Amino acid sequence: RQKHHPSTESFNAILAACARDENISAALKWFQRLLDTGLKPDKVTYRTMVSVCARAGNLPLAEEWLGRMLDATDDRLDVVSCSSLIGGYASRGDAQNAQRWLERLLLIGLRPGPYAFNPVICAWSYVEASKAEAWLWKAMETGVRPSDVALQRTLAAYVKQQDLEGCDRMKELLKKLHQWPAAWALALLAKPHAAAGDFEMVEELLE
């Protein structure tokens, strides 16, 4: 029987499975085994270690692995690794740190995609609707179309705050995206008016 010689790529596949399972301890074990075989981790290896830690919620460790990647590969920040950090922070409601990594990508001239912008928008929608809206516009300026979820959560935040000016700006943004009048947007805007018995306003929205 032919003996199988492991490769960096085969270890990367195992680490990717650890990321899906959010299993940091297993990932650390397999990374050490990679080193023990005399193989050299590549950029994908380090990116995956960042992803494992970010998915598992250990963001300081994820940042540590990103630093190790930069030291080991003599490379600069990349969208994939930073998006893992952005998503990790955003999923835990840390809008400030999610924004910090998105700003770093923009600062060095990279073009983040939806996986970087949308988590930041959604995270801010729970904290400060105006900042979520600002990132919606920034995404569009850079050629990224915000997700429906990002749009819905930002509009819902303005509705919850009863911020009519914010709602009007979101209507204009939706028009630019050719999404007005979307059924979900009408439903969000009509809900407080219907609850208050202002059916004339509901009819006006539907016109």
Side-chain angles (χ1 to χ4, degrees):
R1 180 183 295 180
Q2 186 176 7
K3 188 174 181 179
H4 174 68
H5 296 284
S7 64
T8 300
E9 290 75 16
S10 61
F11 277 101
N12 288 346
I14 295 171
L15 291 174
C18 294
R20 288 192 294 272
D21 290 340
E22 302 178 0
N23 192 331
I24 295 177
S25 60
L28 292 171
K29 181 188 76 173
W30 284 105
F31 185 87
Q32 187 59 50
R33 287 189 65 176
L34 181 153
L35 297 178
D36 292 343
T37 61
L39 294 170
K40 185 178 179 180
D42 59 15
K43 191 166 186 176
V44 174
T45 311
Y46 286 105
R47 277 180 179 172
T48 310
M49 291 302 296
V50 173
S51 178
V52 173
C53 299
R55 288 189 178 198
N58 192 332
L59 281 308
L61 187 57
E63 292 198 21
E64 182 183 317
W65 275 100
L66 180 56
R68 290 179 65 173
M69 180 185 81
L70 298 178
D71 291 340
T73 62
D74 194 27
D75 209 342
R76 66 174 189 168
L77 292 174
D78 65 275
V79 173
V80 174
S81 300
C82 290
S83 293
S84 292
L85 286 168
I86 291 167
Y89 278 118
S91 67
R92 282 150 185 83
D94 190 343
Q96 194 67 57
N97 273 312
Q99 175 178 306
R100 173 169 63 91
W101 282 99
L102 178 51
E103 287 175 333
R104 287 187 66 174
L105 286 175
L106 294 169
L107 187 64
I108 62 175
L110 293 179
R111 292 176 61 87
Y115 290 107
F117 276 103
N118 288 321
V120 171
I121 295 164
C122 290
W124 275 120
S125 72
Y126 292 111
V127 183
E128 192 171 338
S130 61
K131 288 191 175 182
E133 181 195 348
W135 281 107
L136 282 171
W137 287 105
K138 184 66 176 178
M140 291 167 62
E141 287 170 10
T142 58
V144 173
R145 185 182 180 87
S147 68
D148 285 350
V149 172
L151 293 167
Q152 290 168 17
R153 289 183 179 174
T154 305
L155 179 56
Y158 277 131
V159 170
K160 185 177 181 179
Q161 295 171 12
Q162 298 182 356
D163 186 334
L164 298 181
E165 290 184 1
C167 290
D168 286 340
R169 290 195 304 271
M170 285 299 298
K171 283 171 63 175
E172 293 305 311
L173 188 149
L174 289 170
K175 287 176 182 177
K176 285 184 178 293
L177 291 170
H178 306 291
Q179 287 206 167
W180 181 264
W184 61 263
L186 288 170
L188 278 172
L189 290 169
K191 186 176 180 179
H193 297 295
D198 187 356
F199 296 108
E200 286 186 12
M201 189 61 191
V202 173
E203 290 178 0
E204 185 178 326
L205 285 169
L206 296 174
E207 287 178 356

